[in-house]
Amino acid sequence: MDIDDEAVPTGRSIDIELGGQEVITIDLDNLDSNPEDVLDLLRDGQCKVWVWTKLAGEYWRRGYRDAAEQIANNAIGAFKLNGTTASLSPIYALLANIQLVHSQSAPKLILPNAREDIMTNQKSKEEYHKEAASLINASAKSASEASQSGEPAVSMELAFLARGIQQLATRHLDEALRSFEDVLATKPTNIVALLGKARILYMRRNYPQALQIFQQVLRYNPHCQPDPRIGIGLCLWSMNNKAKAKAAWERSLELNPGNWTALLLLGLESVNASKDGHLNEDERTQLLFSGTKLIEKAFHANQKNAAAANALCEIFVQKGAFKRALKLAERTIQFADTLSLLTEGYIRAARVSHAEGNSVAATRYFSLATEGQPKHVLAAMGLAQTQMNNGELGGAINTLDSLLQAPNPQKSLEATVMLASLRGSPRPGISSSEMAQERTRARELFDRVVKSLEIEDGRTTNGSGLSKASRTISEDMNMHLEIARLWQDLNLDRTTKALQQALQVVSRSSGTAEPRLLNNLGALYHLETKLSEAQRFYEDALTQSISSESSETISTSILYNLARVYEDQGEEEKAKDAYEKLLSRHPEYVDAKIRQAHLLHNVNRNGEAHDLIKESLSSQSTNLNLRAFYTYFLIQTNLTKNAKDFVFTTLKDFDKHDVYSLCAAGWIHYNQARENRDTSSKGTEERRKGFLRSTEFYDKALQLDPCCAFAAQGLAIVTAEDALGSLSGVSSSGGEEAQRRTQGTRDALDVFAKVRESVNDGSVYVNMGHCYYARDEFDRAIESYETASVRFYHSQNVSVLLCLCRSWYAKAMKDQSYPSIQTALKYAQTALHIQPNDKAILYNIAMIQQKSAEMLFQLPPAKRTLKDLQRVIDMAQHAHKLFGALASDKSQQVPYSRDIADQRRKYGENMLRKKDDHIFAQMKHEGETQARLDAARQIRMEERQRQEALEKEKMEALRKEAEKLAQERRLAREQALEWTREARMNESDEEKEKRPKKAKKVTTKGDGPVSGDENEAPKKKRRGKIKKANGEPTEDGEEPAAVFSDAEEGERPTKKRTKKRIIRDDDDEEVQTGPQRKKQFKSKEVLSDTDDEMEG
């Protein structure tokens, strides 16, 4: 604030006049920290406002801020008492600045649930800012009143600066910039305004201009506080000139060793430099140590600074000092003045809480971090991890999805791997179709990760390889195993590649294959029923486990798995040997004993199996898995009463909430009620109670485990069979019962479809087949039974085979299909082969065979064959014998009615009496049919022969016509060649010069002319043979084609050639002895053409 020189003394003392006579001088260099005496003097002397302001400012300058604030507040009270508030503008401005200074050490956010850094009794920054804003407004109002009342004008520079600082602190950057610009408009060298403007430009990332202003401040005042070198360094750092930035901070620290800002920035720079991978270990350690020391000094110099607290917090987190780290994290949160720093504080508080096991606090802090910065990678990943620990898998997926998806998707390989792993893993409440979509997304995410790693590895040309984070991901064995599992049903090549990469990772890290990995890979193949591969992995794992430190523990598990794969492969002797080896090492290995008992049970050595189970129960009677297997064993050996007693003992004495025992109790009650044949009222009531108890047990099991598929399947069976309705004896009309059963089977099918998605067991398909059968959907019933029989029971389960027999039989009766009933007979015979002593199956076979004959007897001869008829007659005769044997069976109990068997025998006897008639009719029909077929075949053969003869004649005529046409074409070609030759000779003659008296002059195609006189010897030797007109060379003595001159053209007879002597190549040139004839002239053009022909 500017004050007139006349009103303000320039010395280091102030004179206060009391009552007009006494003057007291206050030495400003020796002020007492207690301002009470000064306040009395100021009030008694009724000093002017500049005196109050001067004294308050001096107290503040000496560090007595509370005393300065007390003086200012007393000044306001004194002037208000006198009614002269118009001159209080400087006091209000001073108080506003004091409030702004208070706000610098006040928490911005007060945590109500802080555990270490408790500040609930302190005022927040916002409160101080509000008070400062109120005081600034009061200062402006007082200045306005003073100008209106005609008092001396007071400079508003201090008010503008205070308002600008307050606006800058509250992040109103535009308003703050205008305030500073107003000051700079009148005083361009105002240091505070320049620093404020530079800070605003820096916050707006206008680093070059901010750097210029900081440098300008440094030129104006090299000793300015706060040091502009700090701002210069920050601008240079942001402009990637880190060496000069470090030099600026070092210079600042050199001039002011207690400058905590320079200490903090240099400390952070050293810590960051220690992460440089190009430095050796000693250099990185030294940088980290020196940086930590600088940060500690900075924090001790200003313990209210969030940045220093945040940096120190990370150091204590790494050291494991969680209590101090939590206090620093809470300090960071409460004093952070930027969003990024606040988020860092929340993340570190969450990490500390998570390390301490406080999942609730960790989740809360991570959630607060993501609320401020939803795209912060560490915050989102931390929140997802805590959600996973809390069982909120859907929430974790949503958190990571929000991080990686638009808008502003983050490229984080770690988050992508986490999301892919979550999507690829099954979780409750998701259907199979949704799970398939999730697995597809997981594969896409893993592909993105693998592709990113390959691209990054391809870009590294300096040999540095992948970054540390990328290398950690690429060497994650579990990630490769998950990729293999996701592709195992779609692409075996991808699966093999992923598994090989996992093995390579382990081999690189340890030099040998990890037996646990091999064991897990074997278990994976085992679950996929790839037994040979599983066996190979188990055997390799067993070999590798010998050299392992915990070989005994690992080899025990591997040997058990190997025995299981032997068992599943049908190599029961090897499995038995493996179990015996296990028990020789660990006699109390109950699981091995259970498997031994199961092997004995499979070969009907139930007594020995029973002894093994009892021996196991004597040592581990509380083992619920063992008790569950014993319950299964008792049920399978038809000891239902013992099973019931054992199950209720388990529920009563060991665990009343054991889900398996509850389901077993439900099954036993249901089975006993269903097999109750007592038709009396008492029996009906007991049956109804049994069904009701069964339903109660299943319902309780579902209450304890809503995902228990077996309990749901039990209730679905109750619903499908209407166990609480017609099956329990409740009377109803036929239409209502049928409608209720139809609705029940539909509801049960919905449940079975859901159970099938979680239980990979043949019983689910069998039950679905029962429902389809009850709905007369025999094709779908057959499909379900076939799936259960082939996939799960290897076509060896008699019950399923009989269900298939029944379904095919019903389909045959419905469609009157002989092939269907033959298929039913095949399944019945297969079941009899497995259980040859089952008389119920014999009865069914006899019934099917008799029905087959009955069906064919009812069909017209056109829809059957004699072979099939003879076959069913033989089967009917066999059925007749079977029914006779079954009816005369003297056993005490038989699974059929002897009377009905005898009736079927008599019926078959009556039916077989007509077999000869059926055979005769069939033979007659087939004979007539065969005769008609033979006649038709003969007619077709004759017609075919006739057609062949006609075709042969036609082909002969065509052949002759083709030969004639070929002859005509040959003659035409020869005629054309002759005409061509003659036209060529005529054309040559026309070009020769006409010479008189050359009637018999003949020229040949050669190098020179030939005389027309046979006795005249040629003058020149000819080279080469003369060709005919058709291009063939002439032989000796053969007449060449004659070529006439123009003079002889008219005298030449048509097509009459004159014989000329042929000049041989070997004749010497002769001298003419006769009278000399006239000189002949050669035509060069003709000779050239002739030469060409000869050369040709």
Side-chain angles (χ1 to χ4, degrees), residues 420-421 442-450 479 482-483 486:
S421 180
R443 286 190 290 270
E444 293 174 354
L445 291 169
F446 276 130
D447 287 344
R448 190 188 306 172
V449 172
V450 173
M479 182 190 75
E482 289 187 17
I483 294 174
L486 289 171

Side-chain angles (χ1 to χ4, degrees), residues 519-761:
N519 186 33
N520 291 335
L521 290 172
L524 180 62
Y525 281 113
H526 196 172
L527 292 175
E528 297 170 3
T529 66
K530 297 179 180 179
L531 303 181
S532 59
E533 291 88 345
Q535 177 182 344
R536 178 170 58 85
F537 276 111
Y538 288 144
E539 290 172 348
D540 292 343
L542 194 60
T543 304
Q544 294 292 336
S545 65
I546 297 175
S547 58
S548 176
E549 296 180 356
S550 56
S551 60
E552 184 64 26
T553 304
I554 299 174
S555 61
T556 300
S557 174
I558 298 172
L559 186 57
Y560 177 80
N561 291 338
L562 184 59
R564 288 299 304 270
V565 80
Y566 285 150
E567 186 179 345
D568 292 339
Q569 286 177 324
E571 301 177 6
E572 296 184 355
E573 289 300 323
K574 289 185 177 181
K576 182 180 178 182
D577 293 341
Y579 290 135
E580 288 177 353
K581 287 181 182 178
L582 277 175
L583 291 174
S584 65
R585 299 177 186 176
H586 306 282
E588 298 303 321
Y589 197 160
V590 173
D591 291 339
K593 288 185 178 180
I594 290 176
R595 299 314 304 175
Q596 273 194 330
H598 186 68
L599 290 174
L600 293 171
H601 169 64
N602 290 340
V603 295
N604 291 325
R605 295 168 61 181
N606 294 326
E608 298 178 37
H610 205 168
D611 293 339
L612 277 175
I613 298 173
K614 286 182 178 179
E615 181 182 344
S616 301
L617 280 171
S618 63
S619 61
Q620 294 188 17
S621 59
T622 60
N623 189 329
L624 293 178
N625 289 331
L626 176 59
R627 300 186 72 86
F629 179 80
Y630 188 43
T631 304
Y632 162 80
F633 174 79
L634 293 174
I635 292 174
Q636 292 296 316
T637 53
N638 294 323
L639 300 175
T640 308
K641 186 177 183 304
N642 295 340
K644 182 178 180 181
D645 296 338
F646 187 77
V647 164
F648 279 101
T649 301
T650 302
L651 292 173
K652 180 180 178 182
D653 299 336
F654 295 94
D655 187 0
K656 65 179 179 180
H657 294 143
D658 182 31
V659 176
Y660 183 89
S661 298
L662 290 171
C663 292
W667 182 90
I668 292 171
H669 277 287
Y670 186 86
N671 188 61
Q672 288 182 341
R674 197 173 189 276
E675 297 299 323
N676 187 356
R677 305 300 182 187
D678 190 355
T679 57
S680 64
S681 59
K682 183 178 179 181
T684 302
E685 180 64 21
E686 289 180 357
R687 186 161 58 252
R688 189 186 67 81
K689 289 182 179 179
F691 286 133
L692 185 60
R693 290 292 306 279
S694 172
T695 305
E696 290 173 353
F697 278 115
Y698 285 135
D699 184 65
K700 187 174 181 181
L702 281 174
Q703 290 178 6
L704 295 172
D705 183 8
C707 298
C708 181
F710 294 98
Q713 186 173 213
L715 285 179
I717 295 172
V718 173
T719 303
E721 296 190 343
D722 194 21
L724 300 180
S726 59
L727 195 60
S728 61
V730 178
S731 60
S732 60
S733 63
E736 293 179 357
E737 181 180 348
Q739 184 178 1
R740 190 165 58 248
R741 291 292 292 269
T742 302
Q743 181 63 35
T745 53
R746 184 183 298 112
D747 296 340
L749 280 171
D750 293 339
V751 177
F752 288 137
K754 295 179 180 179
V755 171
R756 180 181 58 187
E757 296 172 358
S758 58
V759 176
N760 189 28
D761 189 74

Side-chain angles (χ1 to χ4, degrees), residues 139-424:
S139 175
K141 183 179 178 181
S142 297
S144 177
E145 292 176 355
S147 62
Q148 292 177 1
S149 61
E151 294 184 8
V154 180
S155 173
M156 294 302 296
E157 178 182 322
L158 183 59
F160 280 126
L161 289 175
R163 186 178 295 278
I165 294 171
Q166 187 268 338
Q167 291 166 340
L168 179 59
T170 55
R171 294 289 191 252
H172 295 91
L173 302 185
D174 293 336
E175 294 84 347
L177 184 60
R178 283 196 294 269
S179 299
F180 292 135
E181 290 285 5
D182 290 340
V183 174
L184 293 173
T186 58
K187 193 172 183 181
T189 60
N190 188 285
I191 298 299
V192 176
L194 288 172
L195 287 175
K197 182 178 180 180
R199 284 190 58 187
I200 294 172
L201 293 173
Y202 177 82
M203 295 169 69
R204 289 180 171 176
R205 303 180 187 276
N206 189 351
Y207 304 122
Q209 191 172 354
L211 176 62
Q212 292 178 0
I213 297 178
F214 279 127
Q215 291 172 338
Q216 183 180 354
V217 171
L218 185 61
R219 287 194 298 269
Y220 291 157
N221 186 359
H223 302 287
C224 173
Q225 293 295 330
D227 194 345
R229 297 175 183 84
I230 301 297
I232 292 172
L234 289 172
C235 292
L236 291 171
W237 186 276
S238 300
M239 296 166 66
N240 203 25
N241 195 342
K242 298 182 179 181
K244 289 185 177 181
K246 182 179 179 181
W249 296 332
E250 288 175 344
R251 176 58 178 166
S252 176
L253 187 62
E254 180 183 351
L255 296 176
N256 186 6
N259 189 339
W260 65 269
T261 308
L263 288 170
L264 175 61
L265 292 172
L266 288 172
L268 293 175
E269 189 274 336
S270 295
V271 171
N272 289 333
S274 68
K275 300 176 183 179
D276 188 356
H278 296 88
L279 301 177
N280 58 43
E281 188 65 26
D282 294 337
E283 291 175 337
R284 291 199 299 267
T285 303
Q286 181 61 32
L287 286 171
L288 180 62
F289 178 77
S290 61
T292 303
K293 289 297 183 183
L294 289 172
I295 293 172
E296 289 179 352
K297 289 181 180 180
F299 182 74
H300 290 312
N302 183 7
Q303 297 187 2
K304 301 297 180 66
N305 180 260
N310 183 53
L312 271 184
C313 177
E314 178 62 26
I315 295 172
F316 284 115
V317 167
Q318 294 178 1
K319 290 181 178 180
F322 297 130
K323 187 173 182 180
R324 297 185 66 181
L326 180 59
K327 183 173 183 178
L328 290 169
E330 291 175 347
R331 179 67 56 88
T332 302
I333 295 170
Q334 296 182 112
F335 285 89
D337 53 357
T338 62
L339 180 58
S340 59
L341 199 55
L342 177 64
T343 302
E344 292 289 334
Y346 280 131
I347 291 174
R348 285 182 169 79
R351 289 173 58 192
V352 173
S353 300
H354 184 267
E356 291 178 340
N358 192 342
S359 179
V360 176
T363 304
R364 182 177 70 252
Y365 283 127
F366 276 129
S367 299
L368 291 171
T370 54
E371 287 178 5
Q373 287 184 286
K375 296 296 183 176
H376 197 286
V377 176
L378 289 180
M381 291 179 63
L383 179 59
Q385 287 179 338
T386 56
Q387 289 170 331
M388 290 164 59
N389 291 337
N390 298 333
E392 303 172 4
L393 299 182
I397 291 175
N398 183 61
T399 300
L400 295 174
D401 263 335
S402 301
L403 175 69
L404 299 175
Q405 291 181 357
N408 190 21
Q410 300 299 305
K411 295 181 180 180
S412 171
L413 292 182
E414 295 90 341
T416 307
V417 171
M418 283 182 61
L419 180 59
S421 180
L422 286 173
R423 287 197 178 280

Side-chain angles (χ1 to χ4, degrees), residues 886-933:
L886 293 171
S888 60
D889 194 333
K890 302 300 182 182
S891 300
Q892 185 176 1
Q893 288 185 350
V894 290
Y896 55 87
S897 173
R898 292 187 178 89
D899 294 336
I900 295 178
D902 189 58
Q903 291 175 10
R904 300 304 303 182
R905 180 188 63 80
K906 293 177 181 179
Y907 175 77
E909 184 177 354
N910 294 331
M911 183 178 62
L912 287 173
R913 290 173 183 169
K914 302 178 182 179
K915 65 182 178 61
D916 294 335
D917 297 337
H918 286 288
I919 292 174
F920 177 77
Q922 189 67 29
M923 291 176 64
K924 179 181 179 181
H925 170 74
E926 291 188 1
E928 294 173 352
T929 303
Q930 187 63 36
R932 289 194 298 271
L933 289 174

